Amino acid sequence: MTMIDLYLKAGSKSAMTLALKTAGFTQDGDSGALYHPAAALDVIGTIYQPTGDTILVDGQEVPAMAPVSGYHANVRTTSEALAAALAGLRLYPATPVRVWA
């Protein structure tokens, strides 16, 4: 069984939720959590990257961070069909912010 790791980006949380539900995820009515029987979901949301500037926080210089556009999630699955259904959101980052262990 080969694992397929998908790094996904949508324009907003609602766009990501709609895409995941369209691909076959179900949403718990109470918690809002999304589930799929053949996948694990890691919701990241907004990713922040260093701007190259620094700021002072409690007397310490730390990198200034800015949001990267879009809403991000990772999916790990064994389903080729699910991967195909999410292909429109798929990215291939050289250095992902988070990866599956």
Side-chain angles (χ1 to χ4, degrees), residues 57-69:
V57 176
D58 296 328
Q60 302 249 339
E61 272 195 15
V62 296
M65 304 294 275
V68 174
S69 67

Side-chain angles (χ1 to χ4, degrees), residues 27-97:
Q27 189 168 27
D28 182 88
D30 294 328
S31 70
L34 293 160
Y35 300 96
H36 192 284
L41 175 65
D42 177 23
V43 177
I44 298 166
T46 303
I47 293 175
Y48 292 85
Q49 291 183 331
T51 64
D53 296 326
T54 59
I55 58 173
L56 279 177
V57 176
D58 296 328
Q60 302 249 339
E61 272 195 15
V62 296
M65 304 294 275
V68 174
S69 67
Y71 192 83
H72 305 265
N74 295 343
V75 171
R76 174 170 264 190
T77 185
T78 56
S79 170
E80 293 283 345
L82 179 58
L86 293 170
L89 299 180
R90 193 169 184 184
L91 300 175
Y92 297 88
T95 55
V97 173

Side-chain angles (χ1 to χ4, degrees), residues 1-45:
M1 196 177 328
T2 302
M3 292 294 184
I4 304 166
D5 292 336
L6 307 170
Y7 301 100
L8 308 176
K9 177 181 176 182
S12 65
K13 179 180 181 179
S14 59
M16 180 67 74
T17 300
L18 178 59
L20 291 169
K21 289 169 76 174
T22 300
F25 278 77
T26 56
Q27 189 168 27
D28 182 88
D30 294 328
S31 70
L34 293 160
Y35 300 96
H36 192 284
L41 175 65
D42 177 23
V43 177
I44 298 166

